Amino acid sequence: MVMDMSLLEIRGLETEFQTEQGVVKALRGIDYTVDKGEVLGIVGESGSGKSVGMLSLMGLLAPNGTVTAGEMIFDGEDISPVKYKTKKEKKEYEKKMNAIRGNDISMIFQDPMTSLNPVATVGDQIAEAIIYHSNGQKVSQEQIDQRVGEVLEMVGIPAARKNEYPHQFSGGMKQRVVIAMALSCQPDLLIADEPTTALDVTIQAQVLSMMSDLRDKLGTAMIMITHDLGIVAQVCDKVAVMYAGQIIESGTLEDIFTSEEHHPYTKGLFGAIPNLKVDARRLSPIEGLMPDPSNLPSGCHFHDRCPHCMDICREQEPAIYSNGTHCIACHLYDGWDGKKEETT
């Protein structure tokens, strides 16, 4: 008997926002999978759609945001909001997501300084999540205190500090508290949105090491959203590179870090990383800026920044070409090893 290892499947996810300037399509057909115990890294510049994809999954979009197409299958259950049309059905969707959020899927947001309530102890904030997701079962104060102490110890904070307030913790310790909150109900999937952005390099390394240890110990699958390829190399099994609301390259960690074949945008990301073995006065940044999502360039959305731009790039959006596990959406790879799928 073959066990299904797939935990999360995203197929053709599209999300848009209603703005004063018109409709902005933030996601334009996203596909990826996360297996049980696996870590997927999602990489890209600010504005590429990384966080929008996770907020779409969690049902936490702003009021003007809507998932307009696609399927989201979590642990065999369809949690796609597009199939809930009426008010009654939408209430049913919210009820379902309230049960899943924090319990089966947890999210670590970018800034721990704004994720914690400054006038509540860290222990009370962790306990709130435990009580909310107790599924109607009565949980004693003793059981709550024990679980709060356990998760704090799990992230390297003495249980005795549960009665302290966020301002009594350093930035790195606050991030550990946020991770403890996310792990309090033992989720199957942990989403980390730029979890080390506000931390100095030494604390970043400690937090990443801790998250890797927790993944090994608990078997929790993770989605790591970041712009730092160094973090991806350290903790991820698979990588998806996003640009202008689309995944333009994906593959295993080996595909992305050892293959010579890459989307020009991915090459640009690697070129912007300092190389200690090369004596250079300046980095090699990608020229230009991320395009306005309400006014994307025709054809390949990267063509106006691409050093390999051809006429077809300006006119026609590329299909996704595949060589086994490695997929690239670029006209340079037409015929690379057969077309995976046509873009729509």
Side-chain angles (χ1 to χ4, degrees), residues 262-336:
H262 288 300
H263 191 284
Y265 177 66
T266 308
K267 289 180 181 179
L269 293 178
F270 278 111
I273 300 174
N275 189 337
L276 297 178
K277 297 180 181 179
V278 177
D279 184 14
R281 295 180 62 85
R282 294 179 62 86
L283 299 178
S284 302
I286 303 171
E287 297 296 330
L289 299 172
M290 181 73 66
D292 181 348
S294 64
N295 186 27
L296 292 172
S298 60
C300 172
H301 303 322
F302 185 65
H303 82 252
D304 58 344
R305 303 175 70 187
C306 181
H308 306 288
C309 180
M310 304 176 287
D311 288 341
I312 191 174
C313 302
R314 299 183 181 91
E315 299 164 1
Q316 184 178 322
E317 194 170 335
I320 300 174
Y321 299 95
S322 172
N323 185 1
T325 56
H326 195 181
C327 302
I328 302 175
C330 178
H331 290 296
L332 292 172
Y333 294 91
D334 188 354
W336 183 31

Side-chain angles (χ1 to χ4, degrees), residues 219-232:
T220 305
M222 292 171 52
I223 298 177
M224 182 75 69
I225 303 172
T226 183
H227 59 271
D228 190 332
L229 287 167
I231 291 176
V232 170

Side-chain angles (χ1 to χ4, degrees), residues 14-28 47-49 52 61 64-68 244-245 291-296:
E14 297 184 9
T15 299
E16 64 183 32
F17 292 88
Q18 296 287 340
T19 71
E20 293 180 356
Q21 289 74 38
V23 176
V24 174
K25 293 188 176 181
L27 297 180
R28 310 169 71 85
S48 61
V52 171
L61 290 170
N64 66 328
T66 307
V67 174
T68 56
D292 181 348
S294 64
N295 186 27
L296 292 172

Side-chain angles (χ1 to χ4, degrees), residues 38 85 97 133 145 166 223 227 253 259 306 320 326 339:
E38 186 175 61
K85 306 291 185 184
M97 291 309 299
H133 291 288
D145 290 343
I223 298 177
H227 59 271
L253 191 67
S259 172
C306 181
I320 300 174
H326 195 181
K339 205 174 289 186

Side-chain angles (χ1 to χ4, degrees), residues 122-142:
V122 297
D124 284 345
Q125 294 182 63
I126 296 171
E128 184 179 3
I130 297 169
I131 295 167
Y132 185 86
H133 291 288
S134 60
N135 297 321
Q137 298 178 356
K138 189 172 182 180
V139 185
S140 69
Q141 189 61 49
E142 183 181 352

